[in-house]
Amino acid sequence: MTVIDLITRVDAICKKYEKYDIDKHKEANVTGDDAFARLYGVVESEIDAALQKSEAAATEKSRATAVAMNAEIRRTKARLLEELPKLQRLALKKVKGLSREELEARNDLVYSLKDRIEAIPDGSTAAAKQSGGVSGGWAASSSYTGIKIDSSSEEAFESEYFQQTEESDRFRQEYEMRRMKQDQGLEVIAEGLDTLKNMAHDMNEEIDRQMPLMDEIDEKVDRAASDLKSTNVRLKDTVNQLRSSRNFCIDIILLCIILGIAAYLYNVLK
Amino acid sequence: MSTSDPSKLISKADKLTKLSLTRWSADWKSATVLYEQAANGFRVARNYEKAKLAFEKASQGQEMLSSPWDAAKHMESAAALAKELRNWAEVIDFYRKASELYMQCDRPQPASDALAKGARALEDALPDDAIQLYTDACVILEDDGKEQMAFDLYRAATSVYVKLEKYTDAAAFLLRLGLAADKCNARNSQCKAYLSAIIVYLYAHDLKQAEKCYNDCSQIDAFLGSDQNRCASKLLSAYTEGDVEEIKRVAQSSAISNLDNVIIKLARKLP
């Protein structure tokens, strides 16, 4: 058999068993008047998109984008949950061409859809359960996540939250260390200032002590100086008197007289 | 004259001063000069006994010449020599006489200085007499209105008391110091004195007295607002709680480290 033959045979078989092709029916139904099926299809496609987004968010490195994506997912979830009751009503409506079993099946489908929507990981379910623990400290939250191990989504969060607590832990530690160092430095400064203050006080008192002494010295020195001055003046007077010209002339005259007398005597005796 | 034998000088001077038939009045002036020279000669020759004697006689001569100042100076030299000879009774005598002579000159400060020197010399040998001398010195200064100078004397007296383990007396002296400081407005010294007094009481294991002391001191405004006050209250509260760690920590603090060395030692040994 050639390839062409195979293809034609496959085509023929498909056509024969078309009525068993659910997807094709679905597509056909989408374009049909079955509102339920239409809505169902829309919801399912949105769920798939949300799942994809959540996976992207889980692998996202930047926390801001992860948070934004999670918020987006949450919004989609909320919207879908709102549309569920509509779907339920549609499901109960009787549509021509549908058996009763299919009708019940549609109900089950709707319920399962609800579970699927809520199961989409959006980074908030774990947080809601831990809101009490978060305020206690990041370390507590990591232990909380450790306890919840039933749903897979929680496991995805564990690693996320752990990262958070590690980072903030380190930050807090650094902050504490810096604060301690500052405190130590300030203590040293305070002690130095205490010593300075004490020394300054002592110096103050010492100077106060010496002030009256200086005053006394000042007084005594002043008195001594004035005494000296008066003594000097008197001395000058006395010396002047001694050296006055009158006395000097008298001295010279007397000297001449004595010399004269001596000469006369010499002459007489010779 | 100064190179000749000091003993000869002394005998000469003695002859001048002794009254006898040929001498009707002692010639103190020349005698004093001779005595001084002899004393210096002996001091250089390290003959302390004779030097002391010579100084005594010189001082007597100066007294006769009515110059108490020189007399006092000689007395002090004699006392210093007596200290070398460890003749404590004479030391006390001489220093007291010197201080009296200084008072005669109307100079209270050298008087108290002389007594303080005597007290310092006697600290090890006769502590009680030392304290007596210190007290007298402080009294002289206080009478003169110069309490500032008395601080050092008070502190020295307290250290002697502490050595003798007479803690109540020591604390009393510290309070007197505080009073003197108060008169001169020396706030820092005053607060330090009060803190030291409290520490001394605590060291004597007299918690009630310490608390009473603290209450008394709290009446004084200057103490109330001071660092030392806070330190004292911390110390007392640590004591009432019986917290040894706290006591040790307060004792290491800077307020106590600024006090006298003796007091710091007591504080460190506290509980």
Side-chain angles (χ1 to χ4, degrees), chain A residues 194 197-198 201-202 205 209, chain B residues 148 188-189 227 254 258:
Chain A
D194 260 333
K197 177 175 141 186
N198 187 52
H201 270 295
D202 284 340
E205 283 179 11
R209 207 191 299 193
Chain B
Q148 292 270 12
N188 202 19
S189 291
D227 250 350
S254 58
N258 288 331

Side-chain angles (χ1 to χ4, degrees), chain A residues 32-49:
Chain A
D33 346 275
D34 198 348
F36 174 78
R38 238 180 300 139
L39 203 52
Y40 189 76
V42 165
V43 168
E44 256 200 326
S45 58
E46 284 194 351
I47 289 177
D48 286 330

Side-chain angles (χ1 to χ4, degrees), chain A residues 80-226:
Chain A
L80 291 173
L81 283 167
E82 269 176 21
E83 297 199 0
L84 265 184
K86 231 196 293 171
L87 203 59
Q88 257 186 333
R89 262 179 284 130
L90 282 174
L92 293 172
K93 235 201 294 184
K94 276 218 163 135
V95 182
K96 63 175 184 220
L98 264 177
S99 58
R100 233 180 41 174
E101 291 100 15
E102 254 189 56
L103 213 60
E104 280 170 17
R106 279 190 177 179
N107 237 340
D108 291 332
L109 273 168
V110 171
Y111 282 132
S112 70
L113 209 55
K114 190 159 178 226
D115 286 329
R116 275 172 68 192
I117 293 176
E118 283 182 354
I120 299 177
D122 65 356
S124 69
T125 45
K129 292 182 188 125
Q130 296 174 34
S131 53
V134 161
S135 52
W138 293 110
S141 69
S142 62
S143 61
Y144 261 80
T145 43
I147 297 172
K148 303 227 180 281
I149 45 171
D150 29 26
S151 49
S152 57
S153 55
E154 306 289 323
E155 278 175 26
F157 297 142
E158 244 178 279
S159 50
E160 249 176 51
Y161 269 71
F162 218 93
Q163 244 183 8
Q164 271 178 344
T165 39
E166 248 183 54
E167 272 180 27
S168 54
D169 235 348
R170 247 182 294 133
F171 187 71
R172 199 165 262 261
Q173 261 184 353
E174 221 184 287
Y175 161 72
E176 293 287 335
M177 291 289 293
R178 291 229 184 113
R179 200 169 59 168
M180 262 188 353
K181 279 211 195 99
Q182 275 184 357
D183 279 340
Q184 277 173 355
L186 283 173
E187 261 183 45
V188 169
I189 293 178
E191 243 172 90
L193 280 176
D194 260 333
T195 318
L196 276 175
K197 177 175 141 186
N198 187 52
M199 280 203 276
H201 270 295
D202 284 340
M203 281 201 280
N204 185 27
E205 283 179 11
E206 194 60 43
I207 291 184
D208 279 339
R209 207 191 299 193
Q210 300 194 340
M211 233 176 50
L213 297 178
M214 295 300 289
D215 287 337
E216 262 186 51
I217 291 178
D218 201 20
E219 220 179 298
K220 286 194 185 157
V221 167
D222 278 339
R223 226 180 312 149
S226 66

Side-chain angles (χ1 to χ4, degrees), chain A residues 258-270:
Chain A
I258 288 175
L259 279 172
I261 292 173
Y264 179 67
L265 279 170
Y266 183 64
N267 276 338
V268 164
L269 285 172
K270 212 162 107 164

